[in-house]
Amino acid sequence: MQMIGGGAIGFPAIVRGQNLNSRVQLAAVGTEGKGWSDFTSMRTHAQVDVAGLCDIDLARMERARHEHKGARWFQDSRRLFAEMEGKIDAVTVSTADHMHAYITLDALRRGIHVYCQKPLTHNVWEARQVRLQAKKSGVITRMGNQIHSHEAYRTGTKWIQDGQIGKVKEVHSWCAATGHGKSYHISRPVEKPVPATLDWDTWLGVAPYRPYAGGHRVYHPWGWRDWQDFGNGALGDFGCHILDPVFTALNIDKAPISVQCSDHTGMNDEVWPAQNVVHYTFPGFPGTAGPQLKVTWYDGGRLPSSKGNQLPPNEGLPSSGSLFIGETGSLVLPHVAPPRLYREGKLVTEEPPKLPGLDHYHGWVDGIVTGKQPSDGFDYAGPLTETVLLGNIAVRHRGQNLEWDSANLRFTNMEEANRWLRRDYRQGWEISEVA
Ligand SMILES: NC(=O)c1ccc[n+]([C@@H]2O[C@H](COP(=O)([O-])OP(=O)(O)OC[C@H]3O[C@@H](n4cnc5c(N)ncnc54)[C@H](O)[C@@H]3O)[C@@H](O)[C@H]2O)c1
């Protein structure tokens, strides 16, 4: 099997900014679930042709193949990239999270523009490699957190940047989803025969081998989220969405200096906890009050207190979202609904102007055609994903305040925690470091 390493071995047909009238030859890796909505949202762009399709499950590629009879199709992304060398310009990567880095790096190293689902990668080291390779390859990248471009998030972040709540003192972000709420498993299910349509070994890819277990939402499809080998629980699933406006509003361009999980509902070696509370400490930014910024994450239905903080005494909070507490007001940004601004204990009814939404998907294609990198490229998505995934290392070491040295990619006060920054790759599926 091919080891993903070395330099770019091909060239995109569309070189940055040189072909304003060209058509973008698009491939989709992962053609159902979110993959379907990703590549079909791209194909509505007037300059996109769907040229390649790839899914490890033939049954899940049927609809895509039926609608794109001219596209070549594959069950293995390595064959897609090798056999369509020079024939595809861009790829959507919408597989289970544990394979994002492997597939994305393969594409980036070949000079292919990449739209990769969130979280960008499965571990912190991978997020750093993907960011470095994207920079080296100079292609147009975007992470699949489409709410970044939604009018609600754009408006909420603009109000904060415009000083509507003054300098930000602290942020609380939460989501209703739980860490093992989707597979309904807390330990390994019994082995089942692999369906004839499924290439189970390629689905596993970089992860350690385990027998297939089928049925609704066990591993494939969908249920992989809960399992530590494949996903990152609720924080991995929603952190890159819900912490995205925090990063954008405050223009966070530095890594947290520490991360701590104060509480969770218990974990084993297989699935993530049902509920977590994680505290990030960032250095201060121009838009924040004081030398440090505290951002607290809650999942599994836990909520911060809305008491005080300029909100009316009995004001409810949405089931998922963020509360920004500023020096002169507070802002609640639900996931996904219009922001609510509060001052002096009251909802502000005369709202500042709102921003329209943008098409996140077409924005990436436009970037490919014009050569202009849209916001939310891997230079932004990499650090955001690193932050999210650091939270789950803190979850593994509940109660320990882990001090983070981002430049050297290591925790400085607990050597044991460093083992979770990357994984051991299955033989034949190694990822080499970006030089
Ligand atoms: N942005 C969003 O709002 C949003 C919503 C849902 C899911 N997602 C993300 O999208 C990705 C997919 O999630 P999902 O819920 O659709 O998962 P899923 O398991 O339901 O679907 C994944 C699809 O990819 C295929 N696939 C899996 N591994 C593959 C591989 N190695 N090569 C080719 N095809 C492969 C599967 O057969 C399936 O068709 C995840 O990263 C998830 O976090 C994002």
Side-chain angles (χ1 to χ4, degrees):
M1 292 199 194
Q2 182 191 7
M3 179 161 155
I4 300 300
I9 57 173
F11 302 94
I14 293 193
V15 180
R16 288 185 72 164
Q18 292 183 356
N19 292 295
L20 292 180
N21 298 317
S22 305
R23 302 195 60 77
V24 175
Q25 302 305 305
L26 179 72
V29 180
T31 57
E32 272 299 335
K34 189 67 185 107
W36 176 265
S37 85
D38 284 344
F39 88 90
T40 57
S41 299
M42 303 300 177
R43 81 179 172 189
T44 58
H45 190 291
Q47 283 171 265
V48 167
D49 294 324
V50 177
L53 299 168
C54 175
D55 202 297
I56 44 79
D57 190 340
L58 294 176
R60 290 176 70 78
M61 201 165 24
E62 237 171 56
R63 178 164 61 147
R65 283 177 59 197
H66 179 74
E67 292 197 13
H68 303 90
K69 296 221 163 54
R72 289 191 64 192
W73 57 270
F74 302 85
Q75 252 184 311
D76 185 328
S77 61
R78 294 165 302 182
R79 283 195 51 214
L80 165 85
F81 293 131
E83 293 184 29
M84 293 200 76
E85 187 79 52
K87 298 197 177 84
I88 47 176
D89 308 297
V91 65
T92 54
V93 179
S94 316
T95 66
D97 297 355
H98 66 288
M99 286 302 287
H100 286 182
Y102 187 94
I103 297 166
T104 293
L105 283 166
D106 197 356
L108 290 174
R109 282 171 165 144
R110 294 168 189 272
I112 295 171
H113 308 284
V114 182
Y115 181 95
C116 179
Q117 264 308 326
K118 53 83 230 163
L120 190 56
T121 60
H122 185 249
N123 65 53
V124 174
W125 176 82
E126 288 175 347
R128 187 65 61 91
Q129 303 315 305
V130 166
R131 177 182 11 155
L132 291 173
Q133 186 61 51
K135 188 166 185 226
K136 209 169 162 185
S137 299
V139 294
I140 302 295
T141 56
R142 194 160 224 195
M143 186 163 70
N145 50 346
Q146 67 283 357
I147 303 147
H148 181 81
S149 300
H150 190 280
E151 63 179 58
Y153 273 16
R154 279 175 33 85
T155 298
T157 55
K158 175 82 165 59
W159 287 358
I160 291 164
Q161 285 170 348
D162 286 350
Q164 294 292 343
I165 60 169
K167 292 208 178 234
V168 174
K169 296 193 291 185
E170 58 188 71
V171 183
H172 300 265
S173 298
W174 62 97
C175 94
T178 81
H180 56 255
K182 302 191 180 72
S183 69
Y184 315 112
H185 287 273
I186 56 168
S187 58
R188 291 198 188 188
V190 289
E191 182 172 357
K192 294 253 176 75
V194 181
T197 59
L198 174 63
D199 180 349
W200 176 240
D201 192 76
T202 305
W203 186 90
L204 283 170
V206 297
Y209 182 81
R210 69 170 70 192
Y212 173 76
H216 185 57
R217 295 187 170 185
V218 178
Y219 300 132
H220 160 75
W222 184 266
W224 49 263
R225 288 165 163 76
D226 299 357
W227 301 91
Q228 293 162 27
D229 272 355
F230 312 124
N232 268 283
L235 183 50
D237 213 4
F238 285 92
C240 284
H241 279 313
I242 295 174
L243 293 174
D244 164 46
V246 182
F247 268 61
T248 296
L250 302 175
N251 203 7
I252 291 181
D253 61 356
K254 290 191 196 79
I257 49 180
S258 68
V259 56
Q260 179 171 18
C261 168
S262 59
D263 197 14
H264 66 58
T265 45
M267 71 185 292
N268 60 20
D269 290 338
E270 297 287 353
V271 293
W272 294 101
Q275 298 183 323
N276 298 291
V277 181
V278 175
H279 307 265
Y280 297 99
T281 303
F282 288 90
F285 301 97
T288 59
Q292 293 186 338
L293 171 72
K294 302 264 186 208
V295 177
T296 308
W297 170 266
Y298 314 74
D299 61 43
R302 292 195 182 184
L303 295 173
S305 167
S306 62
K307 295 225 173 344
N309 305 327
Q310 321 259 9
L311 270 66
N314 295 318
E315 189 75 341
L317 292 172
S319 59
S320 301
S322 289
L323 166 64
F324 295 79
I325 302 170
E327 286 180 325
T328 61
S330 285
L331 184 138
V332 171
L333 186 52
H335 179 78
V336 179
R340 307 194 306 239
L341 194 54
Y342 301 89
R343 286 197 206 104
E344 295 169 0
K346 289 195 198 105
L347 182 69
V348 176
T349 47
E350 275 187 36
E351 291 181 337
K354 294 185 171 171
L355 284 182
L358 298 171
D359 189 323
H360 198 68
Y361 305 93
H362 287 196
W364 175 63
V365 180
D366 289 340
I368 294 169
V369 172
T370 61
K372 290 197 190 102
Q373 173 61 55
S375 61
D376 211 15
F378 294 171
D379 57 336
Y380 171 92
L384 170 58
T385 300
E386 284 185 21
T387 299
V388 165
L389 300 181
L390 285 171
N392 267 347
I393 301 180
V395 165
R396 293 182 182 278
H397 298 281
R398 176 172 46 178
Q400 176 77 38
N401 190 40
L402 298 173
E403 291 166 15
W404 178 237
D405 174 359
S406 173
N408 293 304
L409 211 68
R410 61 186 302 274
F411 297 106
T412 53
N413 64 336
M414 195 186 198
E415 191 49 42
E416 201 188 328
N418 288 315
R419 70 177 271 233
W420 302 111
L421 293 170
R422 63 178 290 184
R423 75 184 316 154
D424 292 329
Y425 291 87
R426 194 153 67 105
Q427 198 181 2
W429 291 95
E430 295 85 356
I431 295 179
S432 58
E433 191 149 2
V434 177

